[in-house]
Amino acid sequence: MQQGTLAGCRARVSTGSFARTRTVKANATLLSRPPSSNKQQPASSQQSAQQSQQQHKPYARPPVKSSDEIVAMILGGGSGNDLWPLTNSRAEPAVPFAGLFRLIDVPLSNCIHSGISNIYVLTQYNATSLNRHLSRAYQFLNNVTFVGHGCGFVETLAASQRPGLDAKEAWYQGTADAVRRYLYLFDEAKHEACEDVLIMAADQLYRMDYTQLLNYHRAKGADVTIATTPADEEHATHLGVLTVDRECNVLEFYEKPPRAQLATMSIDTMEYGFADSEEEATSKPFVASMGMYVIKRKVLLDLLSTRFPRAVDFSRDILSLSRGELKICAYPHRGYWEDVGSLKDYYAANMALAADSSRLGLFDRDAPLYSEARVLPPSKVHGASVADSLLGDACRVAQGSVVRGSVIGSCAFIGRDCDIQDSIIFGADTIDTAEDRAAEVAAGATPLGIGDG
């Protein structure tokens, strides 16, 4: 068994998997406590070990063994104002990226590869295209391929009017409020074995084996574990920022702190185990929340129903006020992560994917990104030049055109003698034939795509 250590956090790593699917092999890495030894130890050593076990036993929990122990809740109900006009007619998680995928595909694919089979997606604004995508892309998983006993699901939980709520209160008021609306689901028999709830956003690009996060949370004996990443000053002012001790216990948590306060929160992120290099530690001296939390089921119910029954947001209204009352730990995510909740970051992330400088891993054979399986022809480049770009399915690039450093969505049409550089071209739902395009022009309409010249 292979073992390693997360620097600064003293958590052992063992390889394995708590769940498999019929069609997806979940190559997950589980965190667990160090294995016990069968060798005879001196009496003093045995006494010391017993004292150590007694000290840690009330806190640490065994690793996850079954997918029934975990419920994932993906928050997809935000209005996405910072991505407007891309969110003018679609929910933020339904925004396309890399020519083939939608943002919601990232957390869902991570769940599948981590063996997590009980998944809820909370929806609200402009949810039509998101609901359509979920039903088409992940319907084949429901009760079929998630786990051997066929109980996996991806379900949408929409904001809705309920008795006792006025029209305004019917909408989710924030992340905590959205989860609170559906706490009654945890009373259902299918969630009887649930011990931890994984809550995450749907507007980020990253790869993560959630089993590592979950078992780190259990090994730490934490009530709440916050997934974190090192951040520079510019990004830290838009995120939740933490200070931690050397055991990765959270000491302070501030949502979008002003720069004056931020200056007091910097640490050596490499020494504490959050950065991979001195260079990264120098440029990213802050520990930022990824907006992803693992919370004990009982703690979650108590927080939302009893202690903070009117709280709106997890980070601002609950976690920042619970220091010292709950054991809150920070989990260091040592890999690629990008928040694409703004047009600037969304554009930069897509350009990095086109230039092949992104670490997202679109071509990872063992952990593919899942999306809607559309039956489409291959893309066609006729007498044109395409370089350093991503093309979705069924794209057509006509003679004389040049496409460089761009992302072209599926079913997109680019006419003759066009010059497309450093651009994101969204695709279409259907393929327009030449006759269709000519008929639209004759009727005074404008066909989708890029016209000649």
Side-chain angles (χ1 to χ4, degrees):
M1 181 175 291
Q2 245 182 348
Q3 293 186 332
T5 302
L6 284 174
C9 297
R10 296 171 176 81
R12 291 298 184 109
V13 183
S14 64
T15 60
S17 174
F18 69 80
R20 292 179 182 271
T21 71
R22 295 181 189 173
T23 59
V24 180
K25 182 178 180 181
N27 296 316
T29 302
L30 306 184
L31 294 187
S32 64
R33 291 168 292 178
S36 59
S37 174
N38 294 325
K39 295 182 179 180
Q40 185 68 29
Q41 296 179 345
S44 60
S45 298
Q46 290 180 356
Q47 183 178 5
S48 175
Q50 289 174 356
Q51 291 175 349
S52 177
Q53 289 175 1
Q54 291 173 355
Q55 179 180 0
H56 293 287
K57 187 176 179 180
Y59 305 105
R61 292 186 291 153
V64 180
K65 295 181 179 180
S66 168
S67 60
D68 291 336
E69 298 176 23
I70 308 299
V71 170
M73 305 189 82
I74 302 174
L75 304 175
S79 59
N81 292 332
D82 292 337
L83 277 178
W84 196 91
L86 304 185
T87 53
N88 183 49
S89 59
R90 62 175 67 84
E92 186 174 22
V95 171
F97 80 96
L100 277 177
F101 308 100
R102 298 186 185 239
L103 295 179
I104 190 66
D105 294 326
V106 173
L108 285 172
S109 296
N110 286 335
C111 281
I112 294 170
H113 293 303
S114 301
I116 296 175
S117 58
N118 302 322
I119 306 171
Y120 293 109
V121 181
L122 284 69
T123 65
Q124 183 166 243
Y125 293 98
N126 278 335
T128 302
S129 63
L130 176 59
N131 291 337
R132 183 188 302 122
H133 177 73
L134 292 172
S135 65
R136 291 176 176 176
Y138 300 96
Q139 183 64 36
F140 76 98
L141 294 169
N142 293 335
N143 300 318
V144 178
T145 61
F146 258 132
V147 289
H149 50 77
C151 294
F153 62 84
V154 176
E155 290 185 13
T156 57
L157 304 177
S160 59
Q161 289 187 330
R162 297 187 181 181
L165 297 177
D166 60 30
K168 182 179 179 180
E169 290 177 326
W171 296 106
Y172 298 145
Q173 303 301 304
T175 55
D177 181 65
V179 174
R180 183 187 296 110
R181 305 290 182 93
Y182 287 98
L183 287 181
Y184 69 86
L185 292 174
F186 292 98
D187 294 330
E188 296 182 356
K190 66 180 178 181
H191 295 317
E192 183 178 1
C194 174
E195 296 183 24
D196 297 291
V197 181
L198 173 60
I199 301 170
M200 69 195 89
D203 59 352
Q204 303 165 353
L205 299 182
Y206 65 100
R207 292 299 192 106
M208 183 186 290
D209 181 354
Y210 295 142
T211 55
Q212 291 191 14
L213 168 62
L214 291 162
N215 287 313
Y216 175 93
H217 166 76
R218 292 191 172 194
K220 286 287 188 179
D223 296 310
V224 180
T225 297
I226 305 171
T228 63
T229 185
D232 56 28
E233 183 174 351
E234 179 183 357
H235 286 86
T237 56
H238 303 288
L239 301 169
V241 180
L242 303 74
T243 59
V244 299
D245 62 19
R246 294 187 180 276
E247 297 294 328
C248 292
N249 296 306
V250 175
L251 304 177
E252 299 176 293
F253 189 133
Y254 295 101
E255 183 72 12
K256 300 179 181 178
R259 292 184 185 271
Q261 184 181 35
L262 194 62
T264 67
M265 303 180 72
S266 63
I267 64 171
D268 186 333
T269 49
M270 182 177 179
E271 181 179 346
Y272 279 70
F274 294 90
D276 288 323
S277 64
E278 291 286 357
E279 182 181 358
E280 184 180 28
T282 301
S283 62
K284 298 180 177 181
F286 303 102
V287 179
S289 168
M290 296 168 59
M292 181 187 304
Y293 317 110
V294 181
I295 307 177
K296 286 182 180 178
R297 170 186 174 172
K298 292 181 179 179
V299 172
L300 178 66
L301 297 178
D302 179 60
L303 287 174
L304 296 181
S305 300
T306 305
R307 298 178 62 186
F308 300 97
R310 303 295 296 175
V312 170
D313 186 76
F314 275 111
S315 58
R316 183 184 65 247
D317 301 329
I318 296 179
L319 299 181
S320 61
L321 301 177
S322 299
R323 302 187 309 274
E325 300 179 19
L326 298 175
K327 182 173 176 59
I328 305 177
C329 294
Y331 171 77
H333 173 59
R334 304 279 292 275
Y336 172 80
W337 179 82
E338 189 66 53
D339 186 336
V340 291
S342 69
L343 284 175
K344 177 182 177 181
D345 292 334
Y346 172 82
Y347 174 80
N350 275 275
M351 292 299 98
L353 288 167
D356 203 23
S357 60
S358 171
R359 292 185 292 159
L360 183 62
L362 292 180
F363 300 94
D364 187 341
R365 182 179 61 183
D366 295 325
L369 280 177
Y370 294 99
S371 191
E372 180 183 352
R374 302 174 66 182
V375 181
L376 294 170
S379 292
K380 182 177 182 180
V381 179
H382 178 66
S385 173
V386 177
D388 301 323
S389 299
L390 292 176
L391 272 67
D393 296 330
C395 296
R396 288 165 295 167
V397 184
Q399 188 171 4
S401 289
V402 175
V403 178
R404 184 178 296 109
S406 298
V407 176
I408 312 299
S410 295
C411 301
F413 177 85
I414 297 175
R416 294 172 177 267
D417 301 320
C418 296
D419 188 3
I420 310 294
Q421 297 189 30
D422 304 324
S423 301
I424 302 172
I425 308 296
F426 277 16
D429 291 332
T430 60
I431 303 172
D432 283 344
T433 65
E435 292 75 14
D436 293 333
R437 298 181 65 81
E440 290 182 62
V441 172
T446 302
L448 289 176
I450 308 297
D452 295 344

